[in-house]
Amino acid sequence: INDLDGLYVPSYLLQLLHRSDVQTMLGLLKSERKIWVTNLAGVILGCYYAYEYKKYCPKNATNLPGTFSQHVNAVSFIVAFTLLAAFVLSREAAVSLVGMEGVVFCVLLFSSPLAAMRAVIQTRSAKAIPLPFTLVSLLNCTLWSVVGIFEMNDVMVYVPNLLGFLASVAQLVLISLYGCSGSSSTVVREGGSNFLL
């Protein structure tokens, strides 16, 4: 990738990386291949995405809360904490702690676009809610809820995904009520590339 026109890395995409790290460890601790394999793919793709973002992002980009290095530090801390829990605690305690950590990140990830809800209602425009992310979240949460309830019978899987499903539905309701017209982004041009901030 030489040109990342329109690349936008809001904090919820970095939350995806956090969530994938935690869920991969949870799957390994529970010896549940469905969880760790799918989330390991999220870790790999999230690292690649972050690498590409860092490589092509303008130095003065302001689309993240905090700096890129602060996000790297946060991911590193979460990975270290999760690994420490996995290796120091008993298996049962580690599953419980890492599972709760996964629930928190899952709920944060899928509900993060709702942080714009006040602005959406005030401006009567849902342009701040990313429709592609919402649709993918809805599909993802639906599938994991079904697997979590009917196949795994695991509250650590289906509860956060049911909450994510509800958050996705709420986002779709806002989008259908207020529409996504206009653009809430600023385009910065640097070195022949456009960056959507």
Side-chain angles (χ1 to χ4, degrees):
I1 296 175
N2 315 351
D3 189 9
L4 298 180
D5 287 349
L7 179 63
Y8 178 56
V9 181
S11 60
Y12 53 80
L13 288 177
L14 288 172
Q15 288 174 24
L16 175 61
L17 182 56
H18 299 331
R19 178 184 177 271
S20 295
D21 293 339
V22 172
Q23 293 297 98
T24 299
M25 183 54 70
L26 179 63
L28 289 170
L29 286 168
K30 294 177 112 181
S31 300
E32 183 59 66
R33 176 175 245 157
K34 288 179 192 81
I35 295 175
W36 73 261
V37 169
T38 55
N39 284 287
L40 183 58
V43 170
I44 293 165
L45 292 171
C47 288
Y48 174 73
Y49 195 84
Y51 167 78
E52 289 296 322
Y53 173 79
K54 178 65 175 162
K55 189 166 132 183
Y56 294 105
C57 181
K59 300 270 187 262
N60 62 346
T62 59
N63 57 326
L64 288 173
T67 65
F68 185 82
S69 63
Q70 288 171 328
H71 282 270
V72 169
N73 290 340
V75 170
S76 299
F77 175 79
I78 292 163
V79 169
F81 176 81
T82 305
L83 287 171
L84 186 65
F87 290 111
V88 172
L89 300 175
S90 69
R91 186 180 181 117
E92 184 178 303
V95 165
S96 180
L97 181 64
V98 173
M100 287 306 298
E101 185 184 0
V103 167
V104 168
F105 281 116
C106 189
V107 171
L108 286 174
L109 170 69
F110 294 123
S111 62
S112 61
L114 286 175
M117 187 165 43
R118 183 176 179 187
V120 167
I121 293 169
Q122 286 177 342
T123 63
R124 303 186 62 78
S125 172
K127 64 186 175 187
I129 298 175
L131 181 60
F133 178 81
T134 302
L135 293 173
V136 170
S137 295
L138 181 69
L139 177 63
N140 181 64
C141 290
T142 300
L143 295 174
W144 276 110
S145 295
V146 168
V147 169
I149 292 169
F150 297 110
E151 188 175 325
M152 295 178 177
N153 193 27
D154 188 341
V155 294
M156 297 290 188
V157 174
Y158 68 78
V159 168
N161 283 290
L162 285 173
L163 293 172
F165 172 82
L166 293 174
S168 297
V169 168
Q171 292 164 46
L172 286 175
V173 167
L174 289 172
I175 290 169
S176 67
L177 286 174
Y178 298 115
C180 293
S181 62
S183 174
S184 63
S185 304
T186 303
V187 176
V188 173
R189 185 136 184 95
E190 183 175 291
S193 296
N194 293 325
F195 294 90
L196 189 60
L197 304 179

